[in-house]
Amino acid sequence: MHILDQLMKSVVRIEAKMGNGQISTGSGFAYRFAVREDGSHVPAIVTNKHVIDGAIEISFPVSTADRQGNLTGKFENIQYSIDGSNVLLHPDDSVDLCAILSAPIYNHFKGRNLQPAIYSFDKNISTIESEFSELLPMEEVTMIGYPNGIWDSANNGSIARRGIIATIPGDDYLGKKQFVVDMACFPGSSGSPVFLANFGSYVDRNGNLAVGSRVKLLGVLYAGPQHRANGEIVVVPIPTSSRPIAETSIPNNLGYVIKSLELEPLEAMADKLLTSEFSESANAGH
């Protein structure tokens, strides 16, 4: 499978059902945390906290494949309740990231000779601190998700968009581990992964033409500046639904992206969770 196909198949369309019955949509992507040498890991869907804030239930349309990995051409809608036991929240309240533990998705297909056709990434694709310093402003980036909840409902397909890095990547914009992209960011785009995806060749910081490809997870979209009718500029989370509001806000076609570095605290939390499960299993054996 081509890496671009993998990128498109790594994202999921999240529908969140609120306590009042309202349905909102967001985006997320599959990620393997705490990968061990024996292959054990913690499967999860990474998204923004505000995508599932107040939700009592979430659902994902999940494409299926047989045990050999051949796509069936079908998908199923997987639903399960949200509570404190199946979500890892980034420990910093100001970082709008969480990981929805997705083992129930895989368990759903056990015994049916099926598996979910979701491509999961891990920390090997995440950009590290030194790599951000090597990137240039105005680098072309790709965001994949479900703007305005739009999707290919016949094939469970996602939507890709292109833009550029609008700030200096090595800087922490406004003192936080984030950067800005010049890209239209609509309701439903919350939680979309932002990738560096160059193929064939690219120019590095020193002006050298590098032959080959670069594919890196740069971060996760979560917010964007908007200006109001009175001229005030505010930064707001990318909404999860389009709904009438009393005050007119006009997007500036800019998005704030949490750097992939902020996945590390979730990695540590998942590692503790996996270690605890191994310990409990061992004790049960005795």
Side-chain angles (χ1 to χ4, degrees), residues 29 31 33 45-49 88-99 122-123 125-132 169 171-179 194 217-222 256-270:
F29 59 97
Y31 199 86
F33 287 101
I45 302 296
V46 175
T47 188
N48 298 139
K49 292 174 182 175
L88 301 178
L89 299 175
H90 193 288
D92 186 337
D93 291 339
S94 69
V95 179
D96 194 358
L97 272 185
C98 68
D122 57 39
K123 65 186 303 180
I125 199 175
S126 293
T127 308
I128 60 176
E129 188 84 55
S130 61
E131 290 172 330
F132 274 108
D171 291 347
D172 289 341
Y173 184 71
L174 296 179
K176 300 177 67 175
K177 292 190 182 303
Q178 61 182 8
F179 61 94
V194 177
L217 172 65
L218 296 177
V220 185
L221 179 78
Y222 81 101
Y256 287 10
V257 180
I258 301 167
K259 290 183 177 180
S260 56
L261 304 173
E262 290 289 10
L263 290 172
E264 280 303 313
L266 294 175
E267 186 84 29
M269 296 171 71

Side-chain angles (χ1 to χ4, degrees), residues 191-210:
S192 295
V194 177
F195 294 100
L196 186 72
N198 304 129
F199 293 90
S201 63
Y202 58 92
V203 178
D204 67 19
R205 171 170 285 278
N206 298 315
N208 300 313
L209 179 64

Side-chain angles (χ1 to χ4, degrees), residues 12 21 49-50 60 77 108 168 177 222-223 231 250 282:
V12 294
K49 292 174 182 175
H50 79 262
F60 311 112
N77 207 42
H108 176 80
I168 296 176
K177 292 190 182 303
Y222 81 101
I250 306 167

Side-chain angles (χ1 to χ4, degrees), residues 239-253:
T240 53
S241 62
S242 297
R243 57 185 182 275
I245 55 175
E247 192 170 40
T248 301
S249 294
I250 306 167
N252 282 342
N253 284 357

